[in-house]
């Protein structure tokens, strides 16, 4: 699940990016309003964390342009401006929540997860394939009723495979969605991650769900009997 942070203050931006990445999200960071607007209009983001005071284009302008363009992803304003008028203006423009600096990261994370739950109200909270279950809200994975502990990247990889169940996913797509990087044919990071994920969710169970399609990528599907 991808989140966009638009924040020009370097320490705050880096802190948010690291914290949200450690919480299991794929995070992009823009340092000014124009770059943030470009990414938000062209990227597939589940949520935007948006500062108000930005160079190039302020947060009001970014939000207004997004809503006029039909982009309805949740937007959380994160700003030092604590005036009631500012909060009302942000909400009137279409912001979904408003958090004033300084803030506790735990509160930010709780608000992010709440907004994402609202945004996914029509989507299932649990993804399934055969006896494999991935609980998006509890961040929990079960296979045959047995709890399986995954790292944040393994969880994100399994979520992607389950959401695109039955579809062969090329390594380039997996690299961009899970690792937020361009695919380098010389690296084996994806192969290693898939192998470790298989060891946890497939090796001790039947049927085998994750399959390599040579020269193309990987697919998670329930085999036909």
């Amino acid at each position: 699940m991808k989140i966009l942070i638009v924040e020009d203050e370097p320490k705050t931006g880096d802190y948010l990016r690291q914290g949200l990445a450690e919480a299991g999200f794929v995070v992009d960071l823009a340092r000014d309003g124009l770059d943030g607007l470009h990414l938000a209009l062209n990227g597939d983001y589940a949520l935007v964390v948006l500062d108000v005071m930005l160079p190039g284009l302020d947060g009001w302008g970014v939000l207004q342009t997004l809503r006029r363009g039909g982009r309805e992803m949740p937007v959380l304003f994160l700003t030092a401006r604590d005036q009631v008028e500012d909060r009302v203006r942000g909400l009137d423009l279409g912001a979904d929540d408003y958090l004033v600096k300084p803030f506790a990261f735990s509160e930010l994370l709780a608000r992010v997860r709440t907004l994402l739950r609202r945004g996914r109200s029509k989507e299932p909270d649990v993804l399934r394939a055969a006896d494999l279950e991935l609980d998006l809200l509890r961040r929990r994975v079960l296979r045959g009723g047995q709890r399986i502990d995954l790292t944040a990247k393994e969880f994100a990889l399994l979520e992607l495979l389950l959401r695109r169940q039955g579809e062969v996913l090329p390594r380039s797509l997996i690299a961009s969605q899970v690792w937020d990087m361009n695919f380098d044919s010389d690296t084996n990071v994806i192969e290693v991650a898939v192998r470790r994920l298989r060891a946890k969710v497939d090796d001790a169970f039947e049927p085998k769900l994750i399959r390599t399609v040579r020269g193309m990528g990987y697919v998670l599907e329930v085999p036909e009997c």
Side-chain angles (χ1 to χ4, degrees), residues 6-223:
V6 190
E7 168 63 68
D8 65 316
E9 186 179 304
K11 287 185 178 179
T12 302
D14 293 342
Y15 172 66
L16 289 173
R17 177 167 58 184
Q18 180 180 347
L20 290 171
E22 289 175 354
F25 299 102
V26 176
V27 184
D28 287 340
L29 173 61
R31 303 287 189 181
D32 64 59
L34 291 174
D35 286 346
L37 178 60
H38 175 76
L39 288 172
L41 287 173
N42 295 284
D44 184 21
Y45 295 102
L47 180 139
V48 177
V49 178
L50 180 63
D51 191 19
V52 170
M53 302 301 293
L54 293 167
L57 180 66
D58 65 22
W60 311 124
V62 172
L63 178 58
Q64 195 168 31
T65 306
L66 285 177
R67 295 306 189 228
R68 284 178 176 173
R71 303 308 300 269
E72 297 298 330
M73 77 279 278
V75 172
L76 168 62
F77 263 135
L78 183 66
T79 178
R81 299 172 69 107
D82 193 20
Q83 299 298 317
V84 173
E85 295 82 0
D86 288 334
R87 282 178 283 178
V88 170
R89 182 182 178 189
L91 295 171
D92 283 345
L93 286 173
D96 297 271
D97 202 353
Y98 205 111
L99 189 59
V100 177
K101 302 174 185 176
F103 59 89
F105 181 78
S106 58
E107 182 181 2
L108 171 82
L109 184 59
R111 292 187 183 219
V112 164
R113 286 176 170 160
T114 297
L115 289 174
L116 291 173
R117 282 197 294 271
R118 291 179 193 167
R120 291 201 314 264
S121 59
K122 296 182 180 179
E123 296 183 15
D125 293 330
V126 179
L127 303 177
R128 294 183 174 87
D131 60 349
L132 174 66
E133 297 184 1
L134 183 144
D135 190 318
L136 293 163
L137 300 184
R138 296 184 178 88
R139 309 290 293 177
R140 185 176 67 184
V141 174
L142 301 174
R143 181 86 199 255
Q146 178 181 329
R147 177 76 175 265
I148 297 174
D149 293 323
L150 301 180
T151 66
K153 289 300 184 188
E154 289 167 348
F155 189 96
L157 175 58
L158 182 58
E159 179 182 351
L160 176 63
L161 289 166
L162 280 166
R163 286 189 182 278
R164 308 283 285 268
Q165 194 172 154
E167 181 180 345
V168 178
L169 303 183
R171 291 169 177 82
S172 58
L173 184 145
I174 295 172
S176 66
Q177 293 292 313
V178 178
W179 279 268
D180 194 25
M181 69 178 189
N182 294 323
F183 177 65
D184 182 350
S185 59
D186 293 331
T187 183
N188 68 341
V189 94
I190 295 171
E191 286 80 359
V192 170
V194 171
R195 185 164 63 245
R196 288 176 176 170
L197 181 62
R198 275 180 173 149
K200 293 182 178 182
V201 305
D202 257 356
D203 283 3
F205 304 94
E206 293 292 342
K208 309 303 181 190
L209 300 175
I210 302 173
R211 184 167 59 88
T212 301
V213 181
R214 291 191 180 277
M216 298 180 67
Y218 301 95
V219 60
L220 187 152
E221 61 184 353
V222 180

